[in-house]
Amino acid sequence: MNIIQNQSLKNYNTFGIEAKAIAFVSVTSVEELKDILSQNNEIFILGGGSNMLLTQDIQKLVVHINLKGREIVEENNDFTIVKAQAGENWHEFVLWCIDQNFGGIENLSLIPGNVGTTPIQNIGAYGVEIKDTMFSCEALNKKTLAIETFTNAQCKFEYRESVFKNELKDQYIITSVSFKLSKRNHNVSTTYGAIETELQKQNIQNPTLKEVSNAVIAIRQSKLPDPKELGNSGSFFKNPIVSNEIYEKAKALHPEMPHYVVSETHVKVPAGWLIEQAGFKGKRFGDAGVHKNQALVLVNYGTASGAEIVALSKNIQETIATQFGIEIEAEVNII
Ligand code: EPU
C-alpha cells in the first residue's frame, strides 16, 4: 500500500477543482480497505469524484476505492445477476452489460462516476433509476469491519436518496453492487420524451439495448458538458418536490411553470426551468458558470475554486426562493 503525502485531487474530481489531500491511498482489495480502517479513525472515502464539490484541502487520509471486477453470480434463461466491484467505471459497466445483451441499465449510459456510488444517491436518468434493477449491494461496516449485504428494500431508495445518505450516512463503504438484468424480452423504457424523439429521428421502431443506449448518449452529449472538457458534477441541484400549496402560489405568478405530479399532495418542479427563468442559464462569473444547454449544471471554466462555485449556487438558491418561493437543494456533496 502506497500512501502519498500532499496529493492533488484535481484529477480525482470531475469539477476539476484544485484541492489537496494531506495523505492519499488507492485501495484495490477489501482486505486493504479493512487494514486502513483498523489503523485510521478519520478517513475520507473517494469514489469516482463525480458528485462532489471540494471547497478545501482534505485534512484526513483520502481512501480512493479502486476495487475492480465484474462477475455473473446467478442466472436463468430470463435473468442474470451481475455483481460489479465499487471501483468499476459506471459507463464502462453499462456498455459491458449491453455487449452481453443484459438489459435494464441502458438508459443510465454515460453517467459519470463509479459503480459504488450509484446506490448512495439512487442515480437516475431518462425515466430509469438504479432502484429499478439493483438487486443488492455489499458494504463494509466502518465500526465492525464486517461486510454486510443490503437488499434493494433495505436501501430505502427515493428520488436521489437512499439509506446511505440518511440514517446510515458515513457508516458504510459500498464495496460491490449487484444488478438483476434481463437476458431476453427486454423491457426497454423509451417513454421519456427525448428518447422517443431521438429514436424517431433515426426511424427506429423496436430499439435494441444498444440503440436505446446510443440515443441516451446522443441526448446527453447535446445537453451535458463532458467533464474532461469542462469541469462539472452533472445536475448540481435536485428537482424540488414541493407541496401543492407552494406550487399553486408560484404557478399563480408563473402560469407556464412545468411540473410533474409525484403524489396527491406534492409535485416536482424542474429546477433547470426555474434557474433558466431566473436568468442564470449560460451566465459566467469568473471561472464559475451555469451551463448554456442545461441550467441545472454548474461548470468550472478552468480555475474556479470550490468557494466560487458555492457562492454561485447560493446566489441561484436565493434568487429562486425570492422569485418563486421555492427552495432548491444541492444534489452534489459540498466538502
Ligand atoms: N429545463 C429548462 N431549462 C434547462 C433545463 C431544463 O427549462 O436549462 C426544463 C426542460 O425543458 C424540461 C425540464 O426542465 O421541461 C426537465 O429537463 P430535463 O429532461 O433535461 O431533465 P432535468 O430534470 O433537468 C433530470 C436529472 C438529470 C437527468 C435528466 C434526464 C435531476 C436532478 N437531474 O434533469 O440527471 O439526466 O433528468 O432524465 O433529477 C444528474 O443527476 O447529474 C443528471 C444529469
Side-chain angles (χ1 to χ4, degrees):
M1 243 179 317
N2 184 20
I3 298 189
I4 304 165
Q5 311 296 324
N6 281 323
Q7 167 74 48
S8 163
L9 297 174
K10 193 173 169 70
N11 293 330
Y12 288 94
N13 74 99
T14 60
F15 245 124
I17 301 286
E18 183 57 87
K20 285 200 176 64
I22 52 156
F24 176 96
V25 65
S26 193
V27 295
T28 53
S29 73
V30 172
E31 286 317 309
E32 271 183 355
L33 186 56
K34 285 185 186 176
D35 266 5
I36 299 227
L37 280 164
S38 61
Q39 293 164 32
N40 299 274
N41 293 333
E42 290 282 296
I43 59 163
F44 178 93
I45 298 295
L46 175 67
S50 63
N51 199 40
M52 66 176 195
L53 176 62
L54 293 167
T55 61
Q56 54 192 321
D57 290 343
I58 299 184
Q59 311 291 342
K60 292 178 188 172
L61 174 63
V62 170
V63 181
H64 177 228
I65 305 296
N66 202 15
L67 308 170
K68 299 284 188 191
R70 43 200 176 210
E71 57 178 320
I72 293 167
V73 288
E74 217 183 300
E75 64 183 328
N76 61 24
N77 289 338
D78 297 314
F79 290 99
T80 183
I81 294 179
V82 191
K83 177 171 168 179
Q85 297 298 311
E88 286 285 327
N89 172 272
W90 173 255
H91 180 57
E92 282 167 21
F93 174 64
V94 171
L95 292 183
W96 179 80
C97 289
I98 293 168
D99 278 349
Q100 316 297 310
N101 195 33
F102 298 158
I105 50 176
E106 53 286 348
N107 291 40
L108 303 176
S109 296
L110 212 62
I111 295 185
N114 290 350
V115 166
T117 29
T118 60
I120 299 178
Q121 57 151 346
N122 181 25
I123 62 164
Y126 309 103
V128 171
E129 288 179 332
I130 212 74
K131 73 163 172 43
D132 305 327
T133 51
M134 199 209 81
F135 184 72
S136 64
C137 66
E138 288 178 326
L140 184 66
N141 182 320
K142 281 170 138 179
K143 274 208 189 105
T144 65
L145 299 190
I147 292 281
E148 296 176 24
T149 301
F150 289 80
T151 61
N152 186 305
Q154 286 168 332
C155 291
K156 299 191 183 167
F157 289 127
E158 277 173 50
Y159 167 64
R160 296 296 196 273
E161 291 290 346
S162 77
V163 75
F164 302 109
K165 272 179 87 173
N166 294 293
E167 57 258 50
L168 299 183
K169 191 172 163 62
D170 295 332
Q171 294 181 38
Y172 285 86
I173 301 167
I174 295 179
T175 55
S176 74
V177 189
S178 297
F179 298 89
K180 185 176 178 185
L181 304 173
S182 56
K183 286 172 67 178
R184 58 182 185 184
N185 302 326
H186 303 302
N187 189 10
V188 289
S189 165
T190 57
T191 46
Y192 195 92
I195 298 191
E196 226 158 49
T197 318
E198 187 64 35
L199 291 169
Q200 274 164 10
K201 244 201 268 176
Q202 299 176 38
N203 238 332
I204 296 170
Q205 306 277 330
N206 295 305
T208 60
L209 301 177
K210 189 77 189 163
E211 284 166 339
V212 174
S213 168
N214 284 341
V216 167
I217 290 173
I219 301 163
R220 289 188 75 94
Q221 284 176 336
S222 71
K223 279 196 174 181
L224 298 166
D226 179 349
K228 287 195 191 90
E229 286 157 25
L230 188 59
N232 75 90
S233 260
S235 302
F236 192 90
F237 301 101
K238 290 198 275 194
N239 287 326
I241 295 173
V242 299
S243 66
N244 290 344
E245 205 184 329
I246 290 181
Y247 165 70
E248 290 301 339
K249 264 194 200 149
K251 178 131 180 128
L253 296 172
H254 309 273
E256 65 301 346
M257 185 165 76
H259 73 288
Y260 316 96
V261 175
V262 294
S263 71
E264 267 177 31
T265 52
H266 286 79
V267 301
K268 198 195 261 184
V269 177
W273 186 88
L274 298 169
I275 298 167
E276 182 169 347
Q277 296 304 306
F280 283 102
K281 193 169 183 173
K283 283 274 161 61
R284 181 170 172 169
F285 304 82
D287 264 359
V290 179
H291 189 54
K292 63 180 191 324
N293 297 333
Q294 166 54 290
L296 255 188
V297 178
L298 303 189
V299 295
N300 170 13
Y301 283 100
T303 60
S305 65
E308 285 172 282
I309 306 267
V310 169
L312 171 58
S313 77
K314 292 232 158 81
N315 184 1
I316 292 172
Q317 283 169 318
E318 282 162 20
T319 309
I320 303 266
T322 310
Q323 279 189 19
F324 299 92
I326 294 177
E327 306 283 339
I328 60 170
E329 201 186 311
E331 182 198 298
V332 167
N333 297 311
I334 298 171
I335 312 289

